[in-house]
C-alpha cells in the first residue's frame, strides 16, 4: 500500500534586522528652490546614516541613498483654467539596522522633517539564522510527513512505513494512471512583516515562515 502525505512545520522568530524605507518628497512653485530644499534634506539624512554606520558596534549595517528625481506639472483650476506650474523633487533612502532602539529613535526624528515619510520597515533574519531555521523546519516537515503516514498505515493494519519519495510541493511524481500532484507554494514559505507606520515608535514584528514537503511512503508489515 502506498501512502502520500503532506508534511509541514511553521516557525516564528524575533527579527535580527530592520530595513527602513524613507521617501523624501517636496513640492513648490520654483524649480531651483524646490530641488535645493529636497537636496538639503537628503544630504542631512545621508550624514545621519553615515554617522550611524561608524564604529565596530554601529547600529546600522548598510544604507543606500537614491538619486534626486525632479518633476513638473501644470495644475488646473476649478473652471478648467491652467494654473502656474508646480515642481517636485524626491528621493528614496534605505537603511538596515541591527539596533532596533536606535531605529525607533532616529526614524522618529526623521519623520518630523518636512517632506520625509517613513514608508515601511522590513523585518528580517540574518542569512545564517534563516538558513539554519529553514533547514531545521524542513527536517521537522519530513518528520511530520512520516508520522502522518505511519498513523495512516497503522490504522489500516500495517506496522511501519518506508519512505519512497519526498519533494517540494508539486514535484512529487504521480503514480501511473494518476494526474500530476497539484501545484502549491514553494517548499519554504516565509514572510517578513512590514511595519508601515509613518512615525516613530516602530515596534519589531516577528519573521514567520513555513516548510512544506510532499512525501510518498510504502506501508510494511
Amino acid at each position: 500500500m502506498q501512502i502520500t502525505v503532506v508534511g509541514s512545520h511553521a516557525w516564528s522568530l524575533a527579527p535580527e534586522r530592520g530595513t527602513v524605507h524613507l521617501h523624501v518628497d517636496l513640492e513648490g512653485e520654483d524649480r531651483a528652490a524646490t530641488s535645493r530644499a529636497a537636496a538639503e534634506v537628503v544630504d542631512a539624512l545621508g550624514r545621519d546614516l553615515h554617522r550611524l554606520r561608524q564604529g565596530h558596534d554601529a547600529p546600522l549595517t548598510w544604507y543606500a541613498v537614491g538619486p534626486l528625481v525632479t518633476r513638473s506639472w501644470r495644475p488646473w483650476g476649478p473652471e478648467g483654467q491652467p494654473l502656474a506650474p508646480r515642481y517636485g523633487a524626491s528621493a528614496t533612502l534605505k537603511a538596515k539596522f541591527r539596533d532596533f532602539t536606535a531605529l525607533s529613535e532616529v526614524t522618529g526624528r526623521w519623520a518630523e522633517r518636512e517632506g520625509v515619510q517613513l514608508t515601511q520597515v522590513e523585518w528580517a533574519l540574518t542569512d545564517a539564522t534563516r538558513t539554519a531555521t529553514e533547514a531545521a523546519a524542513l527536517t521537522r516537515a519530513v518528520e511530520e510527513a512520516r508520522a502522518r503516514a505511519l498513523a495512516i498505515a497503522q490504522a489500516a493494519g500495517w506496522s511501519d512505513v518506508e519512505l519512497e519519495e519526498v519533494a517540494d510541493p508539486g514535484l512529487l511524481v504521480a503514480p501511473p494512471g494518476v494526474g500530476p500532484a497539484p501545484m502549491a507554494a514553494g517548499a519554504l514559505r516565509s514572510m517578513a512583516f512590514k511595519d508601515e507606520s509613518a512615525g516613530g515608535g516602530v515596534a519589531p514584528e516577528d519573521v514567520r515562515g513555513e516548510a512544506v514537503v510532499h512525501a510518498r511512503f510504502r506501508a510494511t508489515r
Side-chain angles (χ1 to χ4, degrees), residues 37-56:
E40 289 174 353
V41 173
V42 173
D43 287 346
L45 292 174
R47 290 193 297 272
D48 281 350
L49 293 172
H50 180 74
R51 175 181 56 80
L52 291 166
R53 185 69 179 85
Q54 302 304 303
H56 177 69

Side-chain angles (χ1 to χ4, degrees), residues 3 15 18 49 94 114 137 196 200 202 216 221:
I3 303 171
L49 293 172
K94 297 179 182 180
E114 181 182 2
E196 297 184 351
V202 179
R216 181 172 292 128
R221 294 296 183 184

Side-chain angles (χ1 to χ4, degrees), residues 23-220:
H23 185 66
V24 176
D25 192 4
L26 291 176
E27 298 179 5
E29 297 180 353
D30 182 275
R31 183 195 302 270
T34 301
S35 296
R36 184 168 55 252
E40 289 174 353
V41 173
V42 173
D43 287 346
L45 292 174
R47 290 193 297 272
D48 281 350
L49 293 172
H50 180 74
R51 175 181 56 80
L52 291 166
R53 185 69 179 85
Q54 302 304 303
H56 177 69
D57 296 324
L60 202 63
T61 65
W62 169 90
Y63 72 90
V65 179
L68 193 67
V69 178
T70 60
R71 64 190 186 281
S72 64
W73 68 98
R74 184 179 291 275
W76 298 85
E79 298 180 0
Q81 74 277 21
L83 302 178
R86 299 277 298 175
Y87 302 94
S90 61
T92 58
L93 301 89
K94 297 179 182 180
K96 183 179 291 187
F97 285 81
R98 59 182 162 201
D99 183 332
F100 299 155
T101 299
L103 182 155
S104 183
E105 291 175 352
V106 298
T107 53
R109 293 202 307 269
W110 291 338
E112 295 175 355
R113 292 177 179 266
E114 181 182 2
V116 178
Q117 181 183 9
L118 171 61
T119 57
Q120 70 180 42
V121 179
E122 293 182 277
W123 304 105
L125 304 173
T126 62
D127 290 342
T129 299
R130 176 173 291 279
T131 298
T133 300
E134 291 179 344
L138 278 172
T139 299
R140 294 289 298 276
V142 173
E143 291 172 348
E144 185 195 72
R146 189 184 189 285
R148 288 170 60 86
L150 181 60
I152 293 170
Q154 291 177 342
W158 300 77
S159 60
D160 205 352
V161 292
E162 292 182 355
L163 179 63
E164 290 190 336
E165 291 182 85
V166 63
D168 286 350
L171 299 181
L172 196 65
V173 177
V178 179
M183 292 298 292
L188 289 167
R189 297 193 294 265
S190 62
M191 176 169 56
F193 284 85
K194 298 178 180 180
D195 188 324
E196 297 184 351
S197 170
V202 179
E205 298 282 353
D206 283 355
V207 180
R208 300 179 182 179
E210 184 180 31
V212 181
V213 297
H214 288 182
R216 181 172 292 128
F217 296 82
R218 180 170 296 279
T220 62

